[in-house]
Amino acid sequence: MASLQVIFIIVVSLKYFAFVEVYSVTIDCTVTSRFAHTVITSKALNKANSSQEIFFEVELPKTAFITNFTMEIEGRVYVGVVKEKEKAKKQYETAVKAGQTAALVKASGRNMEKFAVSVNIAALSNVTFTLTHEELLQRKLGQYEILTRVKPKQRIQEFKIVTNIYEPQGISYVDVHSTFLSNELLPLVEKTVTDKKAHISFSPTLEQQRSCPYCEGSVIDGDFIVKYDVKREKGLGDIQVINGYFVHYFGPPDLRRVPMNVVFVIDESGSMAGPKIRQTREAMVAIIQDLHEEDHFGIVTFDDYVRVWKPTLQQATNQTIKDAMEFAKKITNRGMTDINAGVLKGVEMLRTARRDEILPQRSSDMIILLTDGMPNSGVSDPVEIHKNVREAIGGNMSLNCLGFGNDVEYPFLDVMSQQNKGFARRIFTDSDASLQLQGFYEEVSSPLLLEVDLKYPSNTVDFLTTNHFNQLFNGSEIIVAGRLMDNDIDNFLVEVFGVGASVSDWGVMYPDEEYVFGDFTERLWAYLTIQQLLDKSKVGSPQEKDSITAKALDMSLLYNFVTPLTSMVVTKPETDDTLQVADKLTEGPHQYYSRPVSYQPPSSLYAYPYVVDGDPHFLIDTYFGRFGIVHQTLGVNLEVSTQDISVFQNGNWVKLLMDLLLTKDRSLTVTLKDSVKFVILLHKVWKKHPYHRDYLGFYTLDSHLLSPNVHGLLGQFYHSIEFEVSNLRPGQSPEKPDATMFVKGHELNVTRGWQRDFRRAIKKGESIPCWFIHNNATGLIDGEATDYVVTGLFSTL
């Protein structure tokens, strides 16, 4: 799925907010044979009599590569330059040491990652931002999807979303819808579809964007979605040859589904408590109901111990499905996490069923592992687990790993999947987690072909992308690209081999060459090659990894792609040597980790910052009795204690100039006008509590609106912090291991434990895993803990 979120935020001092105007936003996406080229352009004007800082933020698909970024200010163009990551990092560090302004720009979400840049604009001047990225659309469940999420925060004079699609195979359908399209706005969507082309545009006027007749806010706030598919005929698919490069799309229709033999291996450790285990039960019940009669399945649950629903795989009859659903409803959270034993039990069940000839000869064997943590019981060394699982599977089945939540050791799961013909997927702990689990299963539940090989004449084609695939699933597509040795070739032989429920005679094919305009085939080939090299670099010997990584880096630089191996250095105009560095994130153990993470066995682990509404935090074991919030522009002080709420201006009670939402006895939400939002929770303790004192919990929303200079005991953690945790070892308690954290030039002893998260369960909270920093967080916080003690709540402001 291609997804694109575009957010344009103007962050300035509040009294000047009205003088900065974003007057033009254009999102122009051109798709040629599944290869999407998107250009986002935004123009802003500083109407004030003084300079203002303007922020440009765009969220783009995680699978997309940024290829270009420019800022045009007063006729001068500043261009982002793609460099090797290490060189960019050194340039960044040099700028910091020289006292220049520099910022690492990166963040990540469920399907997208954020590109952000800020620039100081002189009075009565304007700036034009242009960002370009490219992506190969992936077919899932029978369609391609282009999702544009727009949140302009204000009405825009010139606002336009344009999508042009060209598919030489022919377009079978195009569907357009949006979360914000009312009956009045629906006619503004223009859609024109011919045999091979589609044009979609949406361009509401300033007045049509108004959220209500007398409102200044914009109704444009949500998702704009284009879904389509191409015509498919029986045969070997579609081949296109352009400027010496070819691309082959293979997704034949009307193939019979291959029976599936699947063992679900489910984590029942204590950290699965709360919504995770409930959503797992819901998803498992729905998934079991969707099993086909020709399928065989088993269920393994694990914590410190391994349990099975049935000792052998069962055929999916009405009775076994009913029994399995009852078993799934009783899945619960228990002890620790022995991933090694759980997975090996699933492998043993499949191997035994094969040996005893219980399973159909032509069928697909698969394990689906769901876990939310890292191994901490039984065999806990990641490298040893990888070795055990790889040897047990022996290439005879696929292992797909689902990492539930942000604290999961995702690189460990990713490597284990890559080594065993599968892939990993992160499941986000949102309200729709159950649907995410079901959606993943739907993608892999209907294999059509196994061990698929696409072969081309060796004397005709070189630099071929991956042409062997373990499985082809219903609704998906295989894509192979390569370079032709002879540009004058008229046709060439293609052969496809695969194992299915019934053997098809694919024969041979001599496709006619079909040309389209542009050089997209070469860039598509480069994009696909880099993606596959990055995947291959996760497995193999150190020498193989180094060689593969070097090839991926060379191609990233040659084709100007921002990948996990490169960064885009943006020179800002203030001094012409002010830097910002845009990085491509990888799926590390935590989505909000401050740098891309690569999995480095055997002993490398990473700390998990505590997430509060998308912001990285460390938990500090401190009880707060009062909070003070200051609105400097309005000169207002807000004091919140466990007993009351006071608002002052110059020492006097004032009329409330902030938005407050008070929930009886429990929470207060404070919104500074057009700015950041805070949530304060009141925690009441029972009379026999050892501290016997009520205390306050503090959460920050929309923290990106805070100044880069924000600091303090909590504020310092709104910035990215680079750290690494390694040398995991036994602690004083078996369930609380110690480790070493490297952060801010310090080597700290830390302890793994549990803390209560009250965001969703205000009364009782939810248990979450944390690293505890000893000695009042000395070495982690700036200065000493005593530096943050003041004589009065507002005395240092």
Side-chain angles (χ1 to χ4, degrees):
M1 178 181 74
S3 54
L4 166 67
Q5 177 170 343
V6 184
I7 306 177
F8 297 97
I9 302 175
I10 307 303
V11 183
V12 294
S13 176
L14 290 178
K15 63 182 179 181
Y16 295 121
F17 189 86
F19 296 108
V20 177
E21 176 189 5
V22 179
Y23 61 89
S24 177
V25 172
T26 301
I27 305 158
D28 193 334
C29 178
T30 300
V31 180
T32 306
S33 293
R34 291 74 143 175
F35 195 64
H37 176 93
T38 303
V39 181
I40 303 155
T41 306
S42 178
K43 299 178 181 180
L45 172 65
N46 175 19
K47 298 190 293 185
N49 292 322
S50 60
S51 62
Q52 304 297 322
E53 188 174 20
I54 298 178
F55 286 78
F56 170 77
E57 294 185 0
V58 174
E59 292 195 29
L60 61 151
K62 286 183 177 180
T63 51
F65 292 155
I66 294 174
T67 61
N68 184 54
F69 173 73
T70 62
M71 295 184 295
E72 184 177 350
I73 303 171
E74 295 298 303
R76 185 172 179 182
V77 177
Y78 300 85
V79 181
V81 179
V82 177
K83 295 187 176 183
E84 182 182 351
K85 186 177 292 293
E86 286 304 311
K87 292 182 179 179
K89 183 179 179 182
K90 290 178 182 178
Q91 190 174 353
Y92 164 77
E93 291 172 345
T94 301
V96 172
K97 291 178 181 178
Q100 301 165 3
T101 303
L104 286 172
V105 185
K106 47 189 164 183
S108 187
R110 179 186 290 193
N111 298 316
M112 292 161 281
E113 57 196 20
K114 184 182 295 182
F115 173 91
V117 66
S118 66
V119 63
N120 204 57
I121 300 299
L124 305 176
S125 297
N126 56 30
V127 57
T128 299
F129 300 101
T130 303
L131 178 76
T132 304
H133 67 79
E134 295 177 336
E135 178 192 17
L136 179 60
L137 303 183
Q138 297 297 314
R139 188 172 186 253
K140 293 182 179 180
L141 302 177
Q143 64 185 10
Y144 308 95
E145 180 174 293
I146 307 165
L147 185 152
T148 304
R149 183 167 299 158
V150 285
K151 295 179 177 289
K153 303 286 185 176
Q154 57 184 275
R155 294 182 298 138
I156 310 295
Q157 288 185 25
E158 300 174 3
F159 178 83
K160 182 180 292 187
I161 300 175
V162 178
T163 302
N164 287 294
I165 302 171
Y166 175 57
E167 292 288 353
Q169 268 183 263
I171 297 174
S172 61
Y173 77 92
V174 177
D175 182 36
V176 182
H177 66 278
S178 170
T179 59
F180 55 78
L181 282 181
S182 62
N183 291 334
E184 291 76 18
L185 292 179
L186 193 59
L188 301 179
V189 177
E190 298 181 1
K191 182 177 76 170
T192 304
V193 182
T194 59
D195 181 36
K196 297 182 179 181
K197 295 181 180 180
H199 172 83
I200 301 99
S201 66
F202 174 64
S203 183
T205 65
L206 196 65
E207 189 61 29
Q208 290 167 334
Q209 296 171 43
R210 197 183 293 274
S211 56
C212 67
Y214 302 102
C215 299
E216 289 301 318
S218 174
V219 72
I220 310 301
D221 185 354
D223 298 342
F224 187 87
I225 303 165
V226 177
K227 298 180 180 180
Y228 79 94
D229 197 13
V230 300
K231 295 177 181 177
R232 299 178 185 276
E233 298 179 359
K234 295 181 180 180
L236 294 184
D238 180 59
I239 295 179
Q240 294 168 31
V241 181
I242 304 171
N243 297 336
Y245 289 83
F246 83 93
V247 58
H248 180 193
Y249 304 95
F250 178 68
D254 304 327
L255 289 179
R256 253 184 67 191
R257 177 183 181 272
V258 175
M260 187 170 67
N261 315 306
V262 57
V263 177
F264 301 97
V265 181
I266 307 299
D267 186 348
E268 285 191 308
S269 61
S271 58
M272 288 284 288
K276 290 180 185 176
I277 203 71
R278 174 178 54 79
Q279 291 168 329
T280 297
R281 287 194 293 260
E282 292 174 359
M284 283 302 301
V285 168
I287 287 170
I288 291 168
Q289 284 180 303
D290 284 342
L291 289 166
H292 294 248
E293 187 175 355
E294 66 268 23
D295 293 341
H296 289 72
F297 71 108
I299 304 174
V300 174
T301 64
F302 69 91
D303 53 0
D304 313 56
Y305 302 95
V306 174
R307 303 166 183 86
V308 296
W309 163 57
K310 300 284 185 182
T312 58
L313 266 68
Q314 304 291 306
Q315 187 171 356
T317 65
N318 290 337
Q319 187 60 49
T320 57
I321 287 176
K322 181 180 177 181
D323 293 345
M325 288 169 60
E326 290 303 314
F327 178 85
K329 292 176 182 177
K330 298 175 183 177
I331 292 174
T332 187
N333 55 289
R334 306 172 191 265
M336 299 179 73
T337 309
D338 191 345
I339 292 176
N340 184 76
V343 174
L344 291 184
K345 183 61 179 178
V347 174
E348 177 195 340
M349 291 176 66
L350 277 166
R351 291 178 61 182
T352 301
R354 275 287 172 200
R355 183 196 63 201
D356 295 344
E357 298 182 350
I358 295 173
L359 310 177
Q361 182 178 2
R362 294 183 181 275
S363 58
S364 173
D365 296 346
M366 179 187 302
I367 293 175
I368 298 179
L369 166 68
L370 171 65
T371 180
D372 77 328
M374 60 182 183
N376 58 16
S377 178
V379 179
S380 57
D381 177 32
V383 173
E384 188 175 351
I385 295 174
H386 285 164
K387 179 176 180 290
N388 293 343
V389 172
R390 187 171 62 250
E391 290 180 352
I393 288 179
N396 296 317
M397 62 191 74
S398 63
L399 170 62
N400 296 312
C401 298
L402 302 180
F404 205 147
N406 290 317
D407 293 332
V408 69
E409 185 70 5
Y410 188 86
F412 159 70
L413 298 179
D414 193 20
V415 171
M416 191 159 62
S417 296
Q418 292 276 345
Q419 292 177 341
N420 296 284
K421 297 185 177 182
F423 52 90
R425 181 78 58 83
R426 188 185 292 275
I427 302 298
F428 292 82
T429 50
D430 294 333
S431 59
D432 68 340
S434 178
L435 295 177
Q436 295 176 53
L437 292 169
Q438 294 173 56
F440 170 82
Y441 179 74
E442 188 177 359
E443 288 182 35
V444 301
S445 63
S446 293
L448 302 179
L449 288 174
L450 310 177
E451 305 302 333
V452 185
D453 284 291
L454 295 90
K455 295 190 177 181
Y456 312 88
S458 58
N459 60 348
T460 303
V461 173
D462 62 359
F463 294 103
L464 197 65
T465 61
T466 298
N467 64 328
H468 173 81
F469 300 85
N470 300 313
Q471 299 181 85
L472 171 67
F473 296 104
N474 187 35
S476 67
E477 181 178 59
I478 286 175
I479 300 178
V480 179
R483 192 178 70 176
L484 299 178
M485 297 179 184
D486 183 1
N487 289 343
D488 296 327
I489 189 171
D490 292 326
N491 49 56
F492 60 98
L493 176 67
V494 179
E495 295 178 289
V496 179
F497 301 89
V499 177
S502 59
V503 179
S504 297
D505 182 11
W506 293 102
V508 296
M509 180 180 182
Y510 294 87
D512 291 331
E513 196 174 69
E514 182 163 6
Y515 287 92
V516 296
F517 294 104
D519 63 348
F520 88 94
T521 47
E522 182 177 355
R523 295 195 64 80
L524 184 155
W525 165 81
Y527 173 98
L528 197 56
T529 300
I530 294 170
Q531 288 278 32
Q532 293 173 354
L533 287 172
L534 292 172
D535 286 339
K536 291 177 182 178
S537 69
K538 299 172 185 175
V539 296
S541 67
Q543 294 80 7
E544 290 171 337
K545 292 179 181 179
D546 289 345
S547 175
I548 291 170
T549 300
K551 292 178 182 177
L553 173 60
D554 288 344
M555 290 193 65
S556 299
L557 294 172
L558 178 63
Y559 287 91
N560 211 56
F561 286 140
V562 178
T563 71
L565 304 175
T566 57
S567 298
M568 178 169 284
V569 178
V570 181
T571 303
K572 294 168 65 179
E574 284 89 336
T575 61
D576 282 356
D577 54 12
T578 309
L579 301 178
Q580 294 202 65
V581 179
D583 280 345
K584 175 75 176 175
L585 290 187
T586 58
E587 277 279 12
H590 195 285
Q591 285 289 301
Y592 299 94
Y593 187 64
S594 64
R595 65 178 180 181
V597 179
S598 60
Y599 182 68
Q600 299 174 337
S603 61
S604 181
L605 298 172
Y606 293 90
Y608 310 116
Y610 175 39
V611 176
V612 179
D613 302 301
D615 303 321
H617 288 68
F618 284 83
L619 284 177
I620 301 175
D621 191 10
T622 304
Y623 289 100
F624 295 101
R626 286 189 301 156
F627 282 109
I629 298 173
V630 177
H631 195 304
Q632 288 184 325
T633 305
L634 300 178
V636 176
N637 293 354
L638 173 69
E639 181 178 325
V640 182
S641 72
T642 56
Q643 289 81 35
D644 51 33
I645 303 168
S646 304
V647 184
F648 301 94
Q649 187 172 33
N650 300 323
N652 300 315
W653 285 91
V654 297
K655 181 180 178 181
L656 205 58
L657 297 176
M658 307 176 186
D659 295 329
L660 300 184
L661 176 61
L662 183 62
T663 302
K664 183 180 179 181
D665 297 333
R666 284 301 172 192
S667 69
L668 170 69
T669 302
V670 182
T671 304
L672 307 184
K673 185 173 176 59
D674 296 322
S675 186
V676 72
K677 181 183 297 183
F678 304 97
V679 176
I680 300 171
L681 300 181
L682 171 60
H683 299 286
K684 291 187 175 182
V685 301
W686 62 97
K687 292 183 179 180
K688 294 184 179 181
H689 191 280
Y691 300 111
H692 191 47
R693 180 178 297 176
D694 295 344
Y695 61 97
L696 300 174
F698 186 78
Y699 299 83
T700 307
L701 311 181
D702 301 323
S703 63
H704 61 283
L705 296 176
L706 291 169
S707 163
N709 298 320
V710 66
H711 204 268
L713 187 61
L714 299 180
Q716 63 187 286
F717 294 106
Y718 294 135
H719 309 306
S720 295
I721 294 179
E722 187 172 326
F723 63 92
E724 183 175 322
V725 175
S726 62
N727 189 24
L728 188 68
R729 55 191 180 274
Q732 292 183 353
S733 302
E735 70 276 8
K736 295 182 178 181
D738 286 348
T740 302
M741 175 181 285
F742 299 92
V743 59
K744 295 184 177 179
H746 301 289
E747 184 175 320
L748 310 180
N749 182 60
V750 296
T751 301
R752 187 70 166 174
W754 297 85
Q755 186 55 277
R756 308 295 288 177
D757 177 5
F758 293 92
R759 287 176 296 164
R760 297 184 180 89
I762 293 177
K763 290 186 178 181
K764 295 184 179 180
E766 299 173 359
S767 294
I768 61 169
C770 308
W771 288 113
F772 287 86
I773 289 81
H774 304 275
N775 302 320
N776 291 324
T778 300
L780 173 67
I781 62 174
D782 293 340
E784 302 292 334
T786 54
D787 296 339
Y788 300 94
V789 178
V790 294
T791 56
L793 195 59
F794 304 105
S795 61
T796 61
L797 299 172

